[in-house]
Amino acid sequence: AEVSVPIEDENDQLIITPLGAGREVGRSCIVLEYKGKKVMLDCGLHAGRSGPNSLPYFDDVGPETIDVLLVTHFHIDHAAAVPYYLEHTSFKGRTFMTRPTKGVFRWLATDYIRVTNTSNSDASALYSEADLINAHAKIEEIDVHQQVEVNGIKFTAYNAGHVLGAAMFLIEIAGVKVLYTGDYSREEDRHLVQAENPGVYIHVLITESTYGVQSHHPRVEREREFMTCVREVVRRRGCCLMPVTALGRTQELLLILEEHWSRYAQELEGVPVFFISALGKTGTRLYQAYIMHMNQRIQRQFNRTGRNPFDFKYIKTRTNISEVPDSGPCVVLASPGMLQNGVSRQLLERWAPRPENGLIITGYS
């Protein structure tokens, strides 16, 4: 039989309200409420929608009642609504990100404004460059393992893997501990640390479930399959196109390709590799600057060689396709990752009719 526990005080209820990402992928935004305190966890946009329809359901919880906004990482579906929320609502609380997340987020949001305002759709960006600058100045940095307290809300950031700067947050209100993961990865790769176990007892876990019922192949196996596909296209003298996001998992792919081209330099001599994105050079500089936020493997490589691992020898970073040949062999990573417009779409339409060319979808690898 069900046991009913009477509620003597409404503030004793722990209330979790998804304003986005509830039974959907995108616009992650969850509000945690306990003892009169409210924490917003992530503030993203829905990539499959445009304009106001892409926003979380902010009206369900008054922005003026939110004490703290914690953002796990810089991806559009977790962070891109932050400028709108800070500049176009009544939110007056404090906002926190890790240092790499804040650094990369600035440029991804700039790219969102540019792409949205120049696309063929009728929708315009939800905020301006001025909004972004003002919002960015309000964001406070939190270090991994640093505990911060705001109005009786304690929270600590832990490594989440996934992308540079990604964090999980352990929130404590009146002795109740809640762990919110955002996207995370328990597998260490070439440059990221794996997600941490905070090592403390938690009462509630809020976690991503996109791949909750799936098992991935081991990383080494995935990399072998990836490079086999690339080499097959190159061997038949084709153009290999990989649509990618400008920042995030793309940098891992670039490290894999750089290592492979270095190992087989003689065999692959004359086969160019291009990374084409409006944010390509900016992104590379950001990753070069945040080496100390990456794993020990990448730091040892940097200390041993004196060369920044993101100072690529074999990969040419460009902002347009002027240097890309019309015929292969060549390898091109180009944004956007969904092929909806831009350089990746241009190259797809140019190369698709020829059977020697190849398309590799890497966005969720």
Side-chain angles (χ1 to χ4, degrees), residues 191-256:
H191 73 292
L192 296 175
V193 298
Q194 65 179 12
E196 297 178 279
N197 183 336
V200 299
Y201 180 82
I202 62 171
H203 298 92
V204 177
L205 172 66
I206 305 173
T207 186
E208 289 282 339
S209 59
T210 307
Y211 294 115
V213 295
Q214 295 176 313
S215 296
H216 291 298
H217 297 300
R219 178 178 63 85
V220 174
E221 187 177 326
R222 294 200 307 273
E223 289 183 8
R224 188 185 307 115
E225 293 173 355
F226 167 65
M227 285 312 309
T228 296
C229 292
V230 173
R231 290 175 69 95
E232 284 177 358
V233 178
V234 168
R235 283 198 187 102
R236 61 179 185 250
R237 304 195 65 77
C239 298
C240 181
L241 173 63
M242 290 177 243
V244 296
T245 56
L247 298 166
R249 300 305 299 164
T250 301
Q251 279 60 41
E252 180 74 4
L253 295 175
L254 294 174
L255 289 172
I256 294 170

Side-chain angles (χ1 to χ4, degrees), residues 150-180:
V150 177
N151 297 335
I153 304 166
K154 296 178 183 178
F155 51 92
T156 307
Y158 291 89
N159 285 309
H162 186 55
V163 293
L164 176 65
M168 304 182 290
F169 286 101
L170 178 65
I171 303 112
E172 181 178 352
I173 303 173
V176 172
K177 296 180 180 179
V178 179
L179 180 66
Y180 175 69

Side-chain angles (χ1 to χ4, degrees), residues 157 291 329 339:
I291 287 290
L339 291 165

Side-chain angles (χ1 to χ4, degrees), residues 215-328:
S215 296
H216 291 298
H217 297 300
R219 178 178 63 85
V220 174
E221 187 177 326
R222 294 200 307 273
E223 289 183 8
R224 188 185 307 115
E225 293 173 355
F226 167 65
M227 285 312 309
T228 296
C229 292
V230 173
R231 290 175 69 95
E232 284 177 358
V233 178
V234 168
R235 283 198 187 102
R236 61 179 185 250
R237 304 195 65 77
C239 298
C240 181
L241 173 63
M242 290 177 243
V244 296
T245 56
L247 298 166
R249 300 305 299 164
T250 301
Q251 279 60 41
E252 180 74 4
L253 295 175
L254 294 174
L255 289 172
I256 294 170
L257 290 166
E258 177 78 4
E259 181 180 301
H260 193 84
W261 253 248
S262 176
R263 184 179 299 168
Y264 300 100
Q266 187 171 357
E267 179 184 347
L268 295 170
E269 184 178 5
V271 181
V273 182
F274 295 94
F275 173 37
I276 304 175
S277 170
L279 288 178
K281 291 184 178 180
T282 299
T284 298
R285 286 196 296 270
L286 284 169
Y287 272 68
Q288 289 172 343
Y290 291 125
I291 287 290
M292 292 297 103
H293 293 266
M294 300 178 192
N295 62 24
Q296 290 299 310
R297 178 187 186 277
I298 211 92
Q299 293 182 39
R300 284 195 298 268
Q301 181 180 341
F302 177 54
N303 293 332
R304 184 179 68 253
T305 65
R307 182 189 180 98
N308 194 298
F310 291 94
D311 180 14
F312 299 119
K313 179 180 179 180
Y314 297 97
I315 296 168
K316 303 175 182 179
T317 302
R318 301 290 186 266
T319 57
N320 59 64
I321 60 175
S322 60
E323 293 183 39
V324 176
D326 288 326
S327 59

Side-chain angles (χ1 to χ4, degrees), residues 40-176:
M40 179 174 283
L41 304 165
D42 281 335
C43 191
L45 293 176
H46 197 298
R49 303 182 183 183
S50 60
N53 289 331
S54 65
L55 289 167
Y57 296 101
F58 290 138
D59 293 341
D60 288 0
V61 178
E64 71 281 357
T65 67
I66 302 295
D67 296 289
V68 179
L69 167 57
L70 305 177
V71 179
T72 58
H73 64 287
F74 55 69
H75 277 157
I76 295 296
D77 58 330
H78 286 257
V82 168
Y84 178 90
Y85 198 65
L86 269 58
E87 299 302 308
H88 291 279
T89 74
S90 56
F91 173 70
K92 301 300 179 186
R94 295 168 66 180
T95 305
F96 290 85
M97 301 178 180
T98 65
R99 179 173 295 179
T101 296
K102 182 180 178 181
V104 176
F105 161 71
R106 168 73 173 81
W107 296 102
L108 275 185
T110 297
D111 196 51
Y112 156 77
I113 296 172
R114 180 188 64 80
V115 170
T116 304
N117 288 338
T118 58
S119 67
N120 294 325
S121 68
D122 294 330
S124 59
L126 292 161
Y127 46 85
S128 66
E129 184 70 26
D131 290 332
L132 173 58
I133 292 171
N134 291 335
H136 193 259
K138 297 174 184 177
I139 297 169
E140 301 177 54
E141 295 177 359
I142 182 172
D143 292 327
V144 172
H145 303 146
Q146 177 187 358
Q147 185 182 83
V148 176
E149 182 170 354
V150 177
N151 297 335
I153 304 166
K154 296 178 183 178
F155 51 92
T156 307
Y158 291 89
N159 285 309
H162 186 55
V163 293
L164 176 65
M168 304 182 290
F169 286 101
L170 178 65
I171 303 112
E172 181 178 352
I173 303 173
V176 172

